[in-house]
Amino acid sequence: MGKVIKLTEEVKIGDTVVKELDLDFASLRGIDLLDAEKEVRAFGDDTPMLMFSMRYQAAVVARLTDLTYDDVLNMNGKDFTALTNAVGGFLMSRG
């Protein structure tokens, strides 16, 4: 279990409605981060320090959950910010 984010609005993942998301950062692999980078670069994100890109953070959230990238982008601002801040903190953490 990783960092659990309680959502202000329920989201549907498949046939399941969830009220919180578990961001298990230990489950991420390098390929997941590279695939997230590839996805946001294809959308034109040219942020030099990718860890600061909210699009990149959202793409990482999608890889940590069973949500699609578009699902993450369409979340309300409070939930989106909570999730991307958690990912940003992970990406900027030091050893």
Side-chain angles (χ1 to χ4, degrees), residues 1 4 6 8 13 16 18 20-21 25-26 33 44-45 50-52 54 60 63 76 80 87 90 93:
M1 181 174 259
V4 176
K6 294 190 183 300
T8 62
I13 299 176
T16 306
V18 297
E20 62 185 29
L21 293 171
F25 295 111
L33 298 174
D45 189 330
L50 214 48
M51 70 181 95
F52 297 118
M54 291 178 78
V60 173
R63 278 153 182 80
N76 72 51
F80 178 84
V87 169
F90 164 74
S93 65

Side-chain angles (χ1 to χ4, degrees), residues 5-11 75-84:
I5 305 293
K6 294 190 183 300
L7 304 173
T8 62
E9 289 182 5
E10 299 173 337
V11 295
M75 297 181 98
N76 72 51
K78 188 169 184 170
D79 291 341
F80 178 84
T81 300
L83 290 163
T84 55

Side-chain angles (χ1 to χ4, degrees), residues 20-75:
E20 62 185 29
L21 293 171
D22 180 12
L23 304 182
D24 183 9
F25 295 111
S27 70
L28 275 177
R29 299 292 175 245
I31 191 68
D32 298 317
L33 298 174
L34 293 174
D35 285 347
E37 177 183 10
K38 183 178 179 181
E39 182 173 12
V40 298
R41 296 290 190 209
F43 283 114
D45 189 330
D46 60 356
T47 307
M49 296 195 65
L50 214 48
M51 70 181 95
F52 297 118
S53 165
M54 291 178 78
R55 285 188 178 276
Y56 180 64
Q57 293 166 0
V60 173
V61 169
R63 278 153 182 80
L64 285 166
T65 64
D66 290 324
L67 296 170
T68 67
Y69 178 67
D70 286 336
D71 289 339
V72 177
L73 294 183
N74 286 306
M75 297 181 98

